[in-house]
Amino acid sequence: MPRLLNDDILLEIFNWFASIDDDCPFTIFFLSKAWRQTVIGHPDLWSYIAVDMTREDWQERVHIAITLSQSRPLHLKIVCQGRIHPELLRFQSSFTRIQTIILHTLDGDKLMSNLQYVYDNKMINNID
């Protein structure tokens, strides 16, 4: 069956979808083989990474997104309950690519301890 939309139009739709859904590239990945190839081939879609530490598969998702984003600047949205998980340090080699970090804590009283934990572990080095 021929494709009804070319890649440029698909990417516009995917970029819009990414602006409203943190799981955009993962959702698209599973919808169809053709869309999977399109989303895999466009690293910008993978440079906005939702790190939801309340999900069991967060580490795999971060690894996939970092890999498929290639060398693009990274924008992280971290969702955690309590402290930021120390396993995030596993991805430390990519930290120099981080341009923005948004931290959502499910326990507002612990926000400052989260930020202190990040700083103490030097997870945010040389970020302007």
Side-chain angles (χ1 to χ4, degrees):
M1 177 191 284
R3 290 178 76 171
L4 299 176
L5 299 173
N6 67 31
D7 283 352
D8 292 335
I9 294 172
L10 277 178
L11 286 174
E12 286 297 318
I13 294 168
F14 294 167
N15 282 324
W16 172 82
F17 184 39
S19 73
I20 62 168
D21 187 309
D22 290 336
D23 284 334
C24 170
F26 292 100
T27 302
I28 294 168
F29 185 88
F30 291 108
L31 291 178
S32 80
K33 188 182 285 187
W35 287 11
R36 180 178 309 123
Q37 294 307 314
T38 301
V39 77
I40 286 174
H42 290 85
D44 289 332
L45 288 171
W46 297 95
S47 65
Y48 291 83
I49 304 172
V51 183
D52 186 347
M53 294 182 176
T54 64
R55 294 180 61 125
E56 288 185 27
D57 65 346
W58 74 266
Q59 292 179 53
E60 291 82 12
R61 287 171 161 262
V62 170
H63 175 73
I64 290 167
I66 286 174
T67 301
L68 292 177
S69 67
Q70 298 174 6
S71 61
R72 300 297 195 280
L74 299 175
H75 308 274
L76 302 181
K77 176 182 175 184
I78 301 173
V79 177
C80 61
Q81 188 165 10
R83 290 184 161 249
I84 293 175
H85 200 288
E87 281 295 313
L88 191 58
L89 291 173
R90 173 177 154 208
F91 306 103
Q92 192 169 7
S93 64
S94 300
F95 287 174
T96 57
R97 294 172 42 206
I98 296 174
Q99 282 195 341
T100 57
I101 296 176
I102 299 171
L103 179 62
H104 290 271
T105 181
L106 301 178
D107 183 351
D109 294 337
K110 295 186 179 179
L111 178 60
M112 292 312 294
S113 65
N114 265 309
L115 294 173
Q116 187 63 43
Y117 181 78
V118 170
Y119 178 77
D120 290 345
N121 285 284
K122 297 179 175 74
M123 290 175 60
I124 306 175
N125 290 331
N126 303 317
I127 298 175
D128 297 326

